[in-house]
Amino acid sequence: MSLTELAASSRVTVFPLEALTVAYTTRSGDEHSEGEELWRLARDLGGRTQEKDQARWILTQASRARTVRAHVDLPGARWTAHIRRRFVLEALFANHAVLMTGRIVLPDL
């Protein structure tokens, strides 16, 4: 499996999702995860069988966490993401054209 590394400083939202702690940034997962757990939750908990529907479910959970403030907000956080999966959406969804999942590291925490 290929690995892409991204690094930046931007707003990061950290929120619980079942047994995971998910970190979401609009530039780019659970700190101890490679992102596949999110796809499994979308399939198992979200009841989505097609990858495009799973991607939308993941984005919905992240957007929902910011909207309802069920999270910790870290404006201007430094992070490095190790991207394991990149999925191009058919059309914009939750203001995203691409969903990337993997492991995100927040060194200042």
Side-chain angles (χ1 to χ4, degrees):
M1 185 180 295
S2 66
L3 176 70
T4 300
E5 184 173 298
L6 302 173
S9 293
S10 64
R11 178 182 179 193
V12 174
T13 301
V14 179
F15 64 97
L17 183 61
E18 290 296 301
L20 301 177
T21 300
V22 179
Y24 164 71
T25 181
T26 55
R27 296 281 313 267
S28 126
D30 181 335
E31 188 173 317
H32 304 288
S33 165
E34 297 300 326
E36 289 307 306
E37 290 87 345
L38 286 171
W39 293 91
R40 275 194 292 280
L41 278 178
R43 183 192 65 227
D44 298 343
L45 185 63
R48 308 300 190 263
T49 56
Q50 294 186 355
E51 198 171 46
K52 65 181 181 179
D53 295 328
Q54 293 169 355
R56 288 193 294 255
W57 187 88
I58 292 167
L59 285 169
T60 298
Q61 302 314 304
S63 297
R64 175 201 54 80
R66 279 195 176 169
T67 301
V68 301
R69 295 199 159 285
H71 63 277
V72 174
D73 210 17
L74 305 170
R78 289 184 320 113
W79 54 265
T80 302
H82 305 277
I83 305 301
R84 290 287 186 179
R85 190 185 291 200
R86 183 178 189 279
F87 185 81
V88 177
L89 299 160
E90 301 170 333
L92 279 180
F93 185 83
N95 209 28
H96 292 281
V98 176
L99 170 64
M100 292 184 277
T101 57
R103 183 173 47 87
I104 190 168
V105 178
L106 301 163
D108 296 336
L109 294 182

